[in-house]
Amino acid sequence: MKNILVPVGSSKNALSHLQYAVDFAKAFNAKLYVVQVYNVYTKAGTMIKVDHIIEKESKAFLDNLVSKIDTKGVDVVVKTLKGKLVDTLELASKAANIDLIMVEPRTNSIKDEVFLGKTSGKIIKQTQIPALIVPEGYQFKPFASILLAVKSAIIKKEKALNPLIDIKDNFKANVNLLLVKTPYYNDGDFDVKEQLGGIVENITKSENATTFHGVLEHYQSHSPDMLCVVRRKRGFFVKKWEKNVILKKDFNSNTPVLVLSGLK
């Protein structure tokens, strides 16, 4: 893991999130890209474009944030990017060979009942970039135990597990696999091949309506330092992510959540 992208909003948690990102990046000797995405606006009633003003203000905002944290020798690159959020982040990630995007739960929302705000939810739901959701105010510490929850152990995408493997190897963490049998179960879904079997310590099988409900049932007994889930058509947050905003009553986590791109 060499390149990490951190989109920054205007939340009160921005400094804490950025410090976590720096500490995480240092553990991997990775480069950190701190970005803010803005759209193009035209001042009402005039033909004067103000996007250059927004760009300047965004850059000053990011520079000020970075000046307030301990960068610990990490190579931090500050960028302002113009365009639509999802498209711009995907283009930037491709250009910079981003391995992981680090998301704070609420970049702008001030509502306490919100787990993932509209912007963060959109990044998680609409991109295919591996992402780490870091709880607000969470201080960095090495991971000792990771719970990987999936409804199918079939892996077709090359390098789909790389972010998980990188984290496991770097921190020498134990990965426990939770296989959840849902109504969409197909023969062979629980066949754990070498690619996955080689990185997990223990396997638990459960039968639930969704992967999400399987995690709710087994999360406390595993007590992981990190939860790892997978994007897919009928994936972990299929219902929770129909809207970009996710409420804490629907899902909340006091530990980081690693979201892999689809395995198939």
Side-chain angles (χ1 to χ4, degrees):
M1 192 172 298
K2 294 300 180 184
N3 299 298
I4 299 171
L5 181 70
V6 186
V8 175
S10 57
S11 78
K12 61 183 180 181
N13 183 58
L15 271 179
S16 172
H17 182 68
L18 197 52
Q19 187 63 63
Y20 183 97
V22 165
D23 295 345
F24 185 93
K26 183 173 177 60
F28 287 90
N29 194 29
K31 179 181 287 190
L32 196 65
Y33 291 86
V34 180
V35 304
Q36 190 166 68
V37 179
Y38 68 96
N39 217 323
V40 180
Y41 297 93
T42 300
K43 192 173 181 180
T46 74
M47 295 300 293
I48 302 173
K49 287 188 176 181
V50 296
D51 54 294
H52 65 285
I53 299 174
I54 298 172
E55 179 182 12
K56 184 177 179 180
E57 291 177 347
S58 295
K59 180 66 162 55
F61 173 75
L62 293 179
D63 286 339
N64 182 55
L65 276 181
V66 172
S67 73
K68 293 179 179 179
I69 63 170
D70 183 358
T71 58
K72 300 183 177 181
V74 171
D75 187 2
V76 178
V77 179
V78 175
K79 294 280 187 182
T80 56
L81 306 173
K82 181 171 65 176
K84 294 182 178 179
L85 179 69
V86 170
D87 293 342
T88 302
L89 289 178
E90 288 186 330
L91 286 172
S93 296
K94 186 174 182 180
N97 294 316
I98 295 299
D99 300 299
L100 184 73
I101 186 168
M102 196 164 293
V103 178
E104 59 176 317
R106 301 181 294 174
T107 57
N108 300 305
S109 176
I110 59 173
K111 296 180 180 178
D112 288 339
E113 69 269 22
V114 171
F115 170 62
L116 279 187
K118 184 177 180 180
T119 301
S120 299
K122 186 180 292 186
I123 292 170
I124 294 297
K125 181 179 178 179
Q126 297 184 23
T127 76
Q128 283 300 315
I129 310 164
L132 183 66
I133 306 169
V134 183
E136 293 177 356
Y138 197 83
Q139 293 187 341
F140 175 79
K141 61 181 180 180
F143 302 102
S145 174
I146 302 171
L147 177 62
L148 169 61
V150 296
K151 75 177 188 68
S152 174
I154 298 172
I155 300 171
K156 294 182 179 179
K157 279 190 178 179
E158 186 181 0
K159 301 180 180 179
L161 292 174
N162 279 11
L164 175 61
I165 294 171
D166 287 348
I167 292 171
K168 167 187 165 58
D169 291 347
N170 191 73
F171 298 108
K172 296 179 171 56
N174 290 327
V175 177
N176 297 304
L177 176 62
L178 174 63
L179 292 171
V180 183
K181 186 176 182 180
T182 74
Y184 299 103
Y185 175 84
N186 295 309
D187 289 341
D189 276 345
F190 281 10
D191 294 343
V192 180
K193 305 297 184 182
E194 182 179 352
Q195 184 180 4
L196 180 57
I199 69 171
V200 301
E201 302 291 329
N202 299 291
I203 299 175
T204 302
K205 296 179 180 179
S206 177
E207 186 167 348
N208 299 89
T210 65
T211 311
F212 173 77
H213 287 94
V215 169
L216 291 181
E217 180 182 345
H218 293 276
Y219 190 84
Q220 292 300 326
S221 62
H222 283 84
S223 190
D225 299 316
M226 172 187 285
L227 173 64
C228 182
V229 296
V230 178
R231 288 186 184 96
R232 62 174 79 212
K233 289 182 179 179
R234 294 192 181 98
F236 182 70
F237 280 130
V238 63
K239 294 298 182 186
K240 307 305 172 189
W241 290 352
E242 285 179 351
K243 294 182 178 180
N244 292 323
V245 173
I246 301 171
L247 301 179
K248 287 181 178 178
K249 68 179 180 65
D250 292 325
F251 178 76
N252 196 15
S253 176
N254 57 6
T255 58
V257 180
L258 178 64
V259 185
L260 302 177
S261 59
L263 302 182
K264 294 183 180 181

